[in-house]
mmCIF file of all heavy atoms in Angstrom:
data_model
loop_
_atom_site.group_PDB
_atom_site.id
_atom_site.type_symbol
_atom_site.label_atom_id
_atom_site.label_comp_id
_atom_site.label_asym_id
_atom_site.label_seq_id
_atom_site.Cartn_x
_atom_site.Cartn_y
_atom_site.Cartn_z
ATOM 1 N N LYS A 132 -13.479 -3.315 -10.136
ATOM 2 C CA LYS A 132 -14.963 -3.416 -10.549
ATOM 3 C C LYS A 132 -14.964 -4.131 -11.952
ATOM 4 O O LYS A 132 -14.371 -3.641 -12.840
ATOM 5 C CB LYS A 132 -15.533 -2.122 -10.597
ATOM 6 C CG LYS A 132 -16.977 -2.075 -10.865
ATOM 7 C CD LYS A 132 -17.425 -0.542 -10.869
ATOM 8 C CE LYS A 132 -18.871 -0.347 -10.566
ATOM 9 N NZ LYS A 132 -19.154 1.106 -10.452
ATOM 10 N N GLN A 133 -15.749 -5.284 -11.943
ATOM 11 C CA GLN A 133 -15.844 -5.921 -13.214
ATOM 12 C C GLN A 133 -17.311 -5.810 -13.693
ATOM 13 O O GLN A 133 -18.235 -6.127 -13.040
ATOM 14 C CB GLN A 133 -15.650 -7.493 -13.015
ATOM 15 C CG GLN A 133 -14.177 -7.753 -12.741
ATOM 16 C CD GLN A 133 -13.892 -9.223 -12.519
ATOM 17 O OE1 GLN A 133 -13.956 -9.678 -11.372
ATOM 18 N NE2 GLN A 133 -13.647 -9.961 -13.654
ATOM 19 N N LEU A 134 -17.411 -5.093 -14.976
ATOM 20 C CA LEU A 134 -18.740 -4.837 -15.546
ATOM 21 C C LEU A 134 -19.176 -6.056 -16.266
ATOM 22 O O LEU A 134 -18.461 -6.772 -16.714
ATOM 23 C CB LEU A 134 -18.617 -3.572 -16.430
ATOM 24 C CG LEU A 134 -18.083 -2.307 -15.737
ATOM 25 C CD1 LEU A 134 -17.988 -1.259 -16.857
ATOM 26 C CD2 LEU A 134 -18.983 -1.876 -14.669
ATOM 27 N N GLY A 135 -20.492 -6.148 -16.368
ATOM 28 C CA GLY A 135 -21.100 -7.253 -17.026
ATOM 29 C C GLY A 135 -22.611 -7.056 -17.071
ATOM 30 O O GLY A 135 -23.049 -6.042 -16.752
ATOM 31 N N VAL A 136 -23.289 -8.143 -17.360
ATOM 32 C CA VAL A 136 -24.748 -8.144 -17.237
ATOM 33 C C VAL A 136 -25.161 -8.021 -15.789
ATOM 34 O O VAL A 136 -24.684 -8.835 -14.970
ATOM 35 C CB VAL A 136 -25.395 -9.320 -17.945
ATOM 36 C CG1 VAL A 136 -26.919 -9.352 -17.901
ATOM 37 C CG2 VAL A 136 -24.931 -9.445 -19.347
ATOM 38 N N GLY A 137 -26.112 -7.057 -15.500
ATOM 39 C CA GLY A 137 -26.562 -6.996 -14.086
ATOM 40 C C GLY A 137 -25.605 -6.200 -13.227
ATOM 41 O O GLY A 137 -24.749 -5.357 -13.703
ATOM 42 N N THR A 138 -25.593 -6.512 -11.859
ATOM 43 C CA THR A 138 -24.832 -5.759 -10.892
ATOM 44 C C THR A 138 -23.315 -6.022 -11.138
ATOM 45 O O THR A 138 -22.955 -7.144 -11.338
ATOM 46 C CB THR A 138 -25.209 -6.231 -9.485
ATOM 47 O OG1 THR A 138 -26.640 -6.065 -9.352
ATOM 48 C CG2 THR A 138 -24.578 -5.276 -8.474
ATOM 49 N N PRO A 139 -22.523 -4.998 -11.105
ATOM 50 C CA PRO A 139 -21.064 -5.157 -11.250
ATOM 51 C C PRO A 139 -20.488 -5.970 -10.150
ATOM 52 O O PRO A 139 -20.972 -5.982 -8.976
ATOM 53 C CB PRO A 139 -20.501 -3.705 -11.145
ATOM 54 C CG PRO A 139 -21.615 -2.782 -11.410
ATOM 55 C CD PRO A 139 -22.939 -3.525 -10.939
ATOM 56 N N LYS A 140 -19.469 -6.680 -10.436
ATOM 57 C CA LYS A 140 -18.813 -7.545 -9.446
ATOM 58 C C LYS A 140 -17.606 -6.713 -8.827
ATOM 59 O O LYS A 140 -16.855 -6.090 -9.531
ATOM 60 C CB LYS A 140 -18.166 -8.840 -10.078
ATOM 61 C CG LYS A 140 -17.413 -9.655 -9.052
ATOM 62 C CD LYS A 140 -16.747 -10.835 -9.824
ATOM 63 C CE LYS A 140 -15.862 -11.704 -8.876
ATOM 64 N NZ LYS A 140 -15.154 -12.701 -9.532
ATOM 65 N N LEU A 141 -17.703 -6.629 -7.528
ATOM 66 C CA LEU A 141 -16.657 -5.741 -6.770
ATOM 67 C C LEU A 141 -15.715 -6.635 -5.907
ATOM 68 O O LEU A 141 -16.178 -7.578 -5.255
ATOM 69 C CB LEU A 141 -17.314 -4.791 -5.802
ATOM 70 C CG LEU A 141 -18.291 -3.739 -6.466
ATOM 71 C CD1 LEU A 141 -19.064 -2.949 -5.403
ATOM 72 C CD2 LEU A 141 -17.499 -2.765 -7.417
ATOM 73 N N SER A 142 -14.507 -6.283 -5.988
ATOM 74 C CA SER A 142 -13.494 -6.971 -5.103
ATOM 75 C C SER A 142 -13.582 -6.309 -3.728
ATOM 76 O O SER A 142 -14.461 -5.379 -3.505
ATOM 77 C CB SER A 142 -12.105 -6.793 -5.637
ATOM 78 O OG SER A 142 -11.606 -5.421 -5.490
ATOM 79 N N ALA A 143 -12.699 -6.690 -2.817
ATOM 80 C CA ALA A 143 -12.525 -5.989 -1.569
ATOM 81 C C ALA A 143 -12.112 -4.497 -1.870
ATOM 82 O O ALA A 143 -11.535 -4.279 -2.990
ATOM 83 C CB ALA A 143 -11.563 -6.615 -0.646
ATOM 84 N N TYR A 144 -12.234 -3.569 -0.988
ATOM 85 C CA TYR A 144 -11.698 -2.217 -1.186
ATOM 86 C C TYR A 144 -10.333 -2.120 -0.791
ATOM 87 O O TYR A 144 -9.901 -2.674 0.295
ATOM 88 C CB TYR A 144 -12.609 -1.214 -0.419
ATOM 89 C CG TYR A 144 -13.882 -0.973 -1.106
ATOM 90 C CD1 TYR A 144 -15.074 -1.600 -0.891
ATOM 91 C CD2 TYR A 144 -13.878 0.066 -2.107
ATOM 92 C CE1 TYR A 144 -16.153 -1.344 -1.671
ATOM 93 C CE2 TYR A 144 -14.974 0.333 -2.907
ATOM 94 C CZ TYR A 144 -16.099 -0.345 -2.649
ATOM 95 O OH TYR A 144 -17.297 -0.110 -3.444
ATOM 96 N N TYR A 145 -9.519 -1.394 -1.507
ATOM 97 C CA TYR A 145 -8.080 -1.144 -1.275
ATOM 98 C C TYR A 145 -7.948 0.308 -0.972
ATOM 99 O O TYR A 145 -8.642 1.102 -1.575
ATOM 100 C CB TYR A 145 -7.250 -1.557 -2.450
ATOM 101 C CG TYR A 145 -7.591 -2.874 -3.103
ATOM 102 C CD1 TYR A 145 -7.829 -2.955 -4.457
ATOM 103 C CD2 TYR A 145 -7.734 -4.092 -2.310
ATOM 104 C CE1 TYR A 145 -8.037 -4.105 -5.108
ATOM 105 C CE2 TYR A 145 -8.071 -5.240 -2.996
ATOM 106 C CZ TYR A 145 -8.280 -5.222 -4.425
ATOM 107 O OH TYR A 145 -8.536 -6.446 -4.967
ATOM 108 N N SER A 146 -6.966 0.678 -0.196
ATOM 109 C CA SER A 146 -6.917 2.110 0.268
ATOM 110 C C SER A 146 -5.438 2.497 0.525
ATOM 111 O O SER A 146 -4.676 1.733 0.917
ATOM 112 C CB SER A 146 -7.782 2.370 1.537
ATOM 113 O OG SER A 146 -7.663 3.655 1.950
ATOM 114 N N THR A 147 -5.219 3.873 0.274
ATOM 115 C CA THR A 147 -3.987 4.419 0.809
ATOM 116 C C THR A 147 -4.246 4.698 2.320
ATOM 117 O O THR A 147 -5.344 4.527 2.886
ATOM 118 C CB THR A 147 -3.644 5.727 0.106
ATOM 119 O OG1 THR A 147 -4.673 6.659 0.388
ATOM 120 C CG2 THR A 147 -3.518 5.525 -1.410
ATOM 121 N N GLY A 148 -3.162 5.214 2.956
ATOM 122 C CA GLY A 148 -3.349 5.713 4.303
ATOM 123 C C GLY A 148 -3.833 7.175 4.240
ATOM 124 O O GLY A 148 -3.972 7.727 3.163
ATOM 125 N N TRP A 149 -4.201 7.713 5.344
ATOM 126 C CA TRP A 149 -4.694 9.117 5.417
ATOM 127 C C TRP A 149 -3.425 10.067 5.195
ATOM 128 O O TRP A 149 -2.460 9.799 5.749
ATOM 129 C CB TRP A 149 -5.337 9.481 6.764
ATOM 130 C CG TRP A 149 -6.675 8.793 6.828
ATOM 131 C CD1 TRP A 149 -6.973 7.704 7.572
ATOM 132 C CD2 TRP A 149 -7.855 9.245 6.230
ATOM 133 N NE1 TRP A 149 -8.338 7.451 7.563
ATOM 134 C CE2 TRP A 149 -8.928 8.330 6.713
ATOM 135 C CE3 TRP A 149 -8.184 10.342 5.487
ATOM 136 C CZ2 TRP A 149 -10.211 8.554 6.355
ATOM 137 C CZ3 TRP A 149 -9.509 10.456 5.069
ATOM 138 C CH2 TRP A 149 -10.581 9.604 5.490
ATOM 139 N N GLN A 150 -3.624 11.105 4.430
ATOM 140 C CA GLN A 150 -2.528 11.979 4.062
ATOM 141 C C GLN A 150 -2.961 13.381 4.378
ATOM 142 O O GLN A 150 -4.102 13.749 4.077
ATOM 143 C CB GLN A 150 -2.142 11.887 2.624
ATOM 144 C CG GLN A 150 -1.573 10.474 2.307
ATOM 145 C CD GLN A 150 -1.676 10.163 0.814
ATOM 146 O OE1 GLN A 150 -0.824 10.625 0.053
ATOM 147 N NE2 GLN A 150 -2.684 9.365 0.460
ATOM 148 N N PRO A 151 -2.054 14.268 4.861
ATOM 149 C CA PRO A 151 -2.408 15.706 5.049
ATOM 150 C C PRO A 151 -2.843 16.349 3.886
ATOM 151 O O PRO A 151 -2.418 16.053 2.673
ATOM 152 C CB PRO A 151 -1.128 16.332 5.502
ATOM 153 C CG PRO A 151 -0.328 15.156 5.976
ATOM 154 C CD PRO A 151 -0.612 14.012 5.172
ATOM 155 N N GLY A 152 -3.851 17.242 3.898
ATOM 156 C CA GLY A 152 -4.500 17.898 2.745
ATOM 157 C C GLY A 152 -3.435 18.592 1.871
ATOM 158 O O GLY A 152 -3.662 18.766 0.715
ATOM 159 N N GLY A 153 -2.400 19.079 2.454
ATOM 160 C CA GLY A 153 -1.363 19.792 1.650
ATOM 161 C C GLY A 153 -0.365 18.898 0.969
ATOM 162 O O GLY A 153 0.574 19.350 0.291
ATOM 163 N N THR A 154 -0.522 17.580 1.031
ATOM 164 C CA THR A 154 0.411 16.654 0.377
ATOM 165 C C THR A 154 0.436 16.934 -1.070
ATOM 166 O O THR A 154 -0.522 17.039 -1.797
ATOM 167 C CB THR A 154 -0.119 15.236 0.574
ATOM 168 O OG1 THR A 154 -0.107 15.004 2.024
ATOM 169 C CG2 THR A 154 0.869 14.220 0.028
ATOM 170 N N GLY A 155 1.641 16.929 -1.628
ATOM 171 C CA GLY A 155 1.808 17.156 -3.101
ATOM 172 C C GLY A 155 1.237 16.002 -3.833
ATOM 173 O O GLY A 155 1.468 14.886 -3.403
ATOM 174 N N ARG A 156 0.585 16.302 -4.869
ATOM 175 C CA ARG A 156 -0.038 15.214 -5.702
ATOM 176 C C ARG A 156 0.911 14.779 -6.810
ATOM 177 O O ARG A 156 1.598 15.595 -7.369
ATOM 178 C CB ARG A 156 -1.427 15.676 -6.304
ATOM 179 C CG ARG A 156 -2.497 15.761 -5.212
ATOM 180 C CD ARG A 156 -3.852 16.335 -5.733
ATOM 181 N NE ARG A 156 -4.806 16.231 -4.760
ATOM 182 C CZ ARG A 156 -5.773 15.321 -4.703
ATOM 183 N NH1 ARG A 156 -5.863 14.375 -5.567
ATOM 184 N NH2 ARG A 156 -6.622 15.382 -3.693
ATOM 185 N N GLN A 157 0.865 13.468 -7.198
ATOM 186 C CA GLN A 157 1.671 13.023 -8.265
ATOM 187 C C GLN A 157 0.882 12.931 -9.551
ATOM 188 O O GLN A 157 -0.389 12.910 -9.590
ATOM 189 C CB GLN A 157 2.086 11.568 -7.947
ATOM 190 C CG GLN A 157 3.048 11.522 -6.702
ATOM 191 C CD GLN A 157 3.589 10.088 -6.539
ATOM 192 O OE1 GLN A 157 3.721 9.282 -7.546
ATOM 193 N NE2 GLN A 157 3.917 9.720 -5.319
ATOM 194 N N ALA A 158 1.552 13.074 -10.621
ATOM 195 C CA ALA A 158 0.966 12.893 -11.931
ATOM 196 C C ALA A 158 0.296 11.446 -12.168
ATOM 197 O O ALA A 158 0.880 10.507 -11.469
ATOM 198 C CB ALA A 158 2.016 13.112 -13.082
ATOM 199 N N MET A 159 -0.647 11.432 -12.869
ATOM 200 C CA MET A 159 -1.238 10.040 -13.100
ATOM 201 C C MET A 159 -0.324 9.107 -13.788
ATOM 202 O O MET A 159 0.574 9.638 -14.532
ATOM 203 C CB MET A 159 -2.507 10.264 -14.063
ATOM 204 C CG MET A 159 -3.754 10.608 -13.366
ATOM 205 S SD MET A 159 -5.249 10.142 -14.382
ATOM 206 C CE MET A 159 -4.728 10.553 -16.093
ATOM 207 N N PRO A 160 -0.404 7.855 -13.595
ATOM 208 C CA PRO A 160 0.465 6.870 -14.252
ATOM 209 C C PRO A 160 0.369 7.020 -15.784
ATOM 210 O O PRO A 160 -0.701 7.325 -16.294
ATOM 211 C CB PRO A 160 -0.056 5.525 -13.803
ATOM 212 C CG PRO A 160 -0.891 5.769 -12.549
ATOM 213 C CD PRO A 160 -1.456 7.168 -12.691
ATOM 214 N N THR A 161 1.448 6.663 -16.476
ATOM 215 C CA THR A 161 1.408 6.671 -17.970
ATOM 216 C C THR A 161 0.755 5.469 -18.449
ATOM 217 O O THR A 161 1.032 4.325 -17.886
ATOM 218 C CB THR A 161 2.844 6.817 -18.509
ATOM 219 O OG1 THR A 161 3.406 7.990 -17.945
ATOM 220 C CG2 THR A 161 2.819 6.869 -20.002
ATOM 221 N N ALA A 162 -0.188 5.599 -19.376
ATOM 222 C CA ALA A 162 -0.940 4.402 -19.926
ATOM 223 C C ALA A 162 -1.343 4.750 -21.322
ATOM 224 O O ALA A 162 -1.459 5.960 -21.726
ATOM 225 C CB ALA A 162 -2.080 4.003 -19.073
ATOM 226 N N ILE A 163 -1.584 3.705 -22.204
ATOM 227 C CA ILE A 163 -2.062 3.986 -23.513
ATOM 228 C C ILE A 163 -3.477 3.616 -23.783
ATOM 229 O O ILE A 163 -3.973 3.834 -24.826
ATOM 230 C CB ILE A 163 -1.145 3.242 -24.608
ATOM 231 C CG1 ILE A 163 -1.150 1.679 -24.332
ATOM 232 C CG2 ILE A 163 0.261 3.795 -24.548
ATOM 233 C CD1 ILE A 163 -0.455 0.936 -25.367
ATOM 234 N N THR A 164 -4.154 2.902 -22.778
ATOM 235 C CA THR A 164 -5.551 2.669 -22.850
ATOM 236 C C THR A 164 -6.194 2.916 -21.446
ATOM 237 O O THR A 164 -5.414 2.894 -20.471
ATOM 238 C CB THR A 164 -5.812 1.145 -23.266
ATOM 239 O OG1 THR A 164 -5.314 0.362 -22.130
ATOM 240 C CG2 THR A 164 -5.095 0.765 -24.560
#
Side-chain angles (χ1 to χ4, degrees):
K132 187 180 204 171
Q133 291 178 269
L134 303 177
V136 178
T138 306
K140 181 186 174 188
L141 298 172
S142 73
Y144 279 92
Y145 318 128
S146 176
T147 64
W149 289 102
Q150 297 159 80
T154 300
R156 288 178 174 257
Q157 294 189 25
M159 276 200 322
T161 303
I163 57 172
T164 65

